[in-house]
Amino acid sequence: MQNQLRVYNSLTKKKEIFEPINPPFVGMYVCGPTVYSDVHLGNVRTFLSFDIIYRYLTHLGYKVRYVRNITDVGHLESDADEGEDKISKKAKLENMEPMEIVQKYSNDFHRVTAKFNILDPNIEPSATGHIQEQIKMIEKLIEKELAYEINGSVYFDVLKYNETEKYGMLSGRVVEELMAGSRELDGQEEKRNTVDFALWKNAGPLHIMRWESPWGTGFPGWHLECSVMSSKYLGERFDIHGGGMDLKFPHHECEIAQSVGATGKQPVKYWLHTNMLTVNGQKMSKSTGNSFLPEELFTGNHELLNEPYSPMTVRFFMLQSHYSSTLDFSNDALKAAAKGYKKMMNGLVLAKDLKYTNDDSLEINPKTVNQINGIIDNCYRALNDDFNTAQAIAQIFNLLKKINSISTGNLKTAEIGEEVFDKLIHTFITLIVDVLGLKEEKPSDVEGIINIILDLYKQAKQVKDYDKVDEIRRKLKQYGVTLKDMKEKVGWAYEEQ
Ligand code: AMP
Ligand code: ZN
């Protein structure tokens, strides 16, 4: 394989050569969706970025176990035990059971990821399915005196942990500064230190999602599920942990503290963080109200959108930037992406059709051969440089130029030889389909297309070209369409046998 894969590790803040702990196996954990509201396009960007990472590692031959959780415990997302959890709140609003909400938004999430051709993970564990394991981890932390119980809640003792370990190593936060900067919030008074975070919360009478525990009825803290489920399915130390940048602190920082506290091991070798999708420079988020839903994008039905954009156009748009840079949404960029995507798909159609033709009168042109090999190397160089899809796409367009030249006859296949021809076609198709995950969006108006064929049929009949008439009938039949020759007009029906 052309040079080695290097990844930017948020923990060491360096680009490092990717060396899995136990090759060829790779364990990858990505924080999944919270399932109490719709997925917006910003979320899609993050899951799409990890889709590329998963696809490329698999392409390189690694056996990846990809775990992406479902956050279905209704956390309060802060330690303030005030009000309702988000899932119960939504359940009341939509007049549903909390678990109905969870199912509804999980289904919705899966529909959206499928639309964008984002592959399913190998394991998709849910937080509510792992309450026992979460209780066990809390017990371990209490045993190690890194957690304490108070009024039926359990907190992680950050100051105690920080005596022997370094809290803040991922996010660069300093405990003393955090202490000085934090003010007491309602419901937090019971904690020993303001930086401590909840492992278990005592459920108030209104709290619907609740489980029995040694500390009474309650629910697990926000950060715990990921430490528990990643270690359960990938081991106490595994290769890749990912999520959006906004999860670095406190979520991932707390995960490190919990896991190091419980096992004594750094849980993750490479921490990977994706950057944010922004709108006019501002992070797209549910709370800011600047987010739009995939469905709105496909219909164009939103004040920010000038026109509808297809799922693959959006996928292409997102891949044109590196996952660690911010990406600003704009109609202009999406329009340009639609063009680029179609150009690439036309190349794909051509490439699937091209055949090698022998020609003894031609000699192999070493310059062209070197050029093609050079472009292929550049494709891999880009992807090996921390999955740089933006640069890879530019190189794939250079491959497309060669494919177009072959198609127009400007470049004869015999000038590059069969081996290089096969390599060109194979690399082009594999990178687009398997690695970038782009697929053709076939025209959806099949009826319109059949009508065009019916017109051709009528014309053939008029000029009494019965061979053509029979051919059209026969070919349409192969696709399950029967022509109905009526007196006044020609119609069609589904083939019944
Ligand atoms: P959530 O369901 O809100 O927990 O978010 C799921 C994932 O989407 C997390 O990894 C977030 O970091 C990520 N995310 C949220 N907003 C954005 C955004 N505007 N751009 C990219 N990723 C985002
Ligand atoms: Zn997580």
Side-chain angles (χ1 to χ4, degrees), residues 177-222:
E177 288 171 12
L178 286 171
M179 290 283 283
S182 63
R183 36 187 190 97
E184 291 290 333
L185 294 170
D186 285 348
Q188 283 197 318
E189 294 81 4
E190 63 186 15
K191 292 195 296 188
R192 282 186 194 156
N193 320 292
T194 50
V195 281
D196 293 351
F197 57 90
L199 297 169
W200 188 263
K201 288 295 285 187
N202 175 23
L206 288 179
H207 209 96
I208 300 175
M209 299 189 86
R210 54 205 297 142
W211 292 268
E212 293 306 316
S213 82
W215 316 284
T217 315
F219 57 97
W222 176 29

Side-chain angles (χ1 to χ4, degrees), residues 323-336:
Y323 76 83
S324 68
S325 326
T326 53
L327 171 63
D328 200 48
F329 169 87
S330 82
N331 282 285
D332 286 347
L334 270 157
K335 262 182 225 155

Side-chain angles (χ1 to χ4, degrees), residues 29-32 69 71 222-227 229 241-243 247 251-252 255 271:
Y29 185 92
V30 173
C31 292
N69 67 306
T71 295
W222 176 29
H223 316 302
L224 194 60
E225 65 185 66
C226 290
S227 283
M229 293 190 278
H241 192 316
L247 296 188
H251 187 55
H252 292 159
E255 263 190 71
W271 280 94

Side-chain angles (χ1 to χ4, degrees), residues 33-34 40 42-43 46-47 244 246-247 275-277 283-284 286:
T34 44
H40 62 68
N43 305 135
T46 285
F47 296 119
D246 55 342
L247 296 188
N275 215 326
M276 297 291 111
L277 179 71
K283 176 190 164 189
M284 182 179 283
K286 287 162 198 165

Side-chain angles (χ1 to χ4, degrees), residues 89-300:
K89 203 166 155 188
K90 193 77 177 188
K92 280 200 187 134
L93 215 68
E94 299 199 13
N95 201 14
M96 285 186 186
E97 278 291 311
M99 274 303 155
E100 243 177 317
I101 290 291
V102 163
Q103 192 67 52
K104 176 181 165 182
Y105 288 102
S106 300
N107 290 348
D108 183 56
F109 173 71
H110 291 135
R111 248 192 310 272
V112 168
T113 50
K115 275 249 184 230
F116 287 104
N117 206 20
I118 292 173
L119 298 175
D120 292 330
N122 304 104
I123 304 177
E124 194 171 45
S126 68
T128 56
H130 296 76
I131 300 293
Q132 286 314 313
E133 289 90 337
Q134 294 182 70
I135 290 174
K136 286 225 162 62
M137 189 159 190
I138 299 173
E139 285 175 331
K140 211 169 187 178
L141 290 168
I142 292 178
E143 208 178 284
K144 297 197 164 189
E145 295 179 7
L146 286 169
Y148 57 91
E149 190 236 323
I150 202 154
N151 299 331
S153 294
V154 183
Y155 295 96
F156 187 90
D157 191 335
V158 173
L159 289 195
K160 182 84 189 297
Y161 172 80
N162 205 41
E163 284 170 12
T164 50
E165 302 290 341
K166 194 172 174 316
Y167 182 80
M169 62 191 311
L170 179 69
S171 61
R173 311 280 167 122
V174 178
V175 171
E176 290 72 20
E177 288 171 12
L178 286 171
M179 290 283 283
S182 63
R183 36 187 190 97
E184 291 290 333
L185 294 170
D186 285 348
Q188 283 197 318
E189 294 81 4
E190 63 186 15
K191 292 195 296 188
R192 282 186 194 156
N193 320 292
T194 50
V195 281
D196 293 351
F197 57 90
L199 297 169
W200 188 263
K201 288 295 285 187
N202 175 23
L206 288 179
H207 209 96
I208 300 175
M209 299 189 86
R210 54 205 297 142
W211 292 268
E212 293 306 316
S213 82
W215 316 284
T217 315
F219 57 97
W222 176 29
H223 316 302
L224 194 60
E225 65 185 66
C226 290
S227 283
V228 162
M229 293 190 278
S230 61
S231 62
K232 173 161 178 175
Y233 297 108
L234 299 173
E236 288 178 352
R237 184 161 161 77
F238 57 95
D239 301 293
I240 297 175
H241 192 316
M245 293 258 184
D246 55 342
L247 296 188
K248 246 191 214 179
F249 186 86
H251 187 55
H252 292 159
E253 198 66 76
C254 295
E255 263 190 71
I256 293 180
Q258 288 163 163
S259 299
V260 171
T263 68
K265 289 181 196 154
Q266 267 301 325
V268 177
K269 190 165 180 193
Y270 305 99
W271 280 94
L272 268 50
H273 287 100
T274 57
N275 215 326
M276 297 291 111
L277 179 71
T278 57
V279 183
N280 296 323
Q282 205 188 10
K283 176 190 164 189
M284 182 179 283
S285 80
K286 287 162 198 165
S287 51
T288 339
N290 67 349
S291 65
F292 39 77
L293 310 178
E295 209 45 49
E296 293 169 330
L297 203 79
F298 308 150
T299 56

Side-chain angles (χ1 to χ4, degrees), residues 263-487:
T263 68
K265 289 181 196 154
Q266 267 301 325
V268 177
K269 190 165 180 193
Y270 305 99
W271 280 94
L272 268 50
H273 287 100
T274 57
N275 215 326
M276 297 291 111
L277 179 71
T278 57
V279 183
N280 296 323
Q282 205 188 10
K283 176 190 164 189
M284 182 179 283
S285 80
K286 287 162 198 165
S287 51
T288 339
N290 67 349
S291 65
F292 39 77
L293 310 178
E295 209 45 49
E296 293 169 330
L297 203 79
F298 308 150
T299 56
N301 206 355
H302 191 284
E303 56 178 2
L304 283 170
L305 302 168
N306 293 349
E307 55 186 83
Y309 302 102
S310 77
M312 286 301 113
T313 295
V314 179
R315 186 169 175 115
F316 190 84
F317 160 70
M318 291 186 175
L319 296 181
Q320 277 181 308
S321 72
H322 187 252
Y323 76 83
S324 68
S325 326
T326 53
L327 171 63
D328 200 48
F329 169 87
S330 82
N331 282 285
D332 286 347
L334 270 157
K335 262 182 225 155
K339 261 194 194 158
Y341 160 70
K342 281 182 192 145
K343 207 167 153 190
M344 203 171 256
M345 286 308 105
N346 285 333
L348 194 62
V349 172
L350 271 184
K352 284 182 189 165
D353 222 35
L354 285 182
K355 299 274 176 301
Y356 183 78
T357 316
N358 258 328
D359 187 341
D360 291 339
S361 69
L362 288 173
E363 286 194 4
I364 288 193
N365 181 340
K367 201 172 143 214
T368 317
V369 165
N370 282 343
Q371 247 181 11
I372 292 174
N373 282 329
I375 304 169
I376 292 174
D377 281 352
N378 286 342
C379 289
Y380 281 98
R381 199 160 288 130
L383 290 166
N384 282 340
D385 184 12
D386 198 19
F387 315 96
N388 196 328
T389 50
Q391 280 178 19
I393 285 176
Q395 294 299 331
I396 293 171
F397 273 123
N398 287 334
L399 290 182
L400 177 57
K401 280 186 196 149
K402 296 294 170 203
I403 287 169
N404 281 332
S405 299
I406 293 174
S407 165
T408 54
N410 285 341
L411 174 63
K412 303 274 183 262
T413 53
E415 289 176 82
I416 56 173
E418 194 158 7
E419 201 180 312
V420 175
F421 171 78
D422 285 346
K423 187 173 157 192
L424 166 67
I425 300 294
H426 180 260
T427 309
F428 183 74
I429 296 177
T430 308
L431 290 183
I432 293 176
V433 177
D434 295 348
V435 178
L436 298 183
L438 293 165
K439 58 179 188 185
E440 290 172 55
E441 284 172 334
K442 304 246 159 77
S444 54
D445 185 7
V446 176
E447 211 160 317
I449 294 172
I450 294 179
N451 284 333
I452 295 171
I453 299 170
L454 293 194
D455 283 344
L456 294 174
Y457 177 84
K458 280 186 246 167
Q459 284 166 21
K461 257 180 79 174
Q462 258 167 15
V463 298
K464 299 194 166 44
D465 183 352
Y466 294 114
D467 285 346
K468 182 75 40 249
V469 165
D470 287 346
E471 190 189 345
I472 295 178
R473 271 190 169 279
R474 195 167 21 84
K475 286 198 169 154
L476 277 179
K477 212 172 168 149
Q478 286 171 0
Y479 291 96
V481 173
T482 316
L483 285 189
K484 297 271 183 204
D485 240 327
M486 292 168 280
K487 246 195 192 142

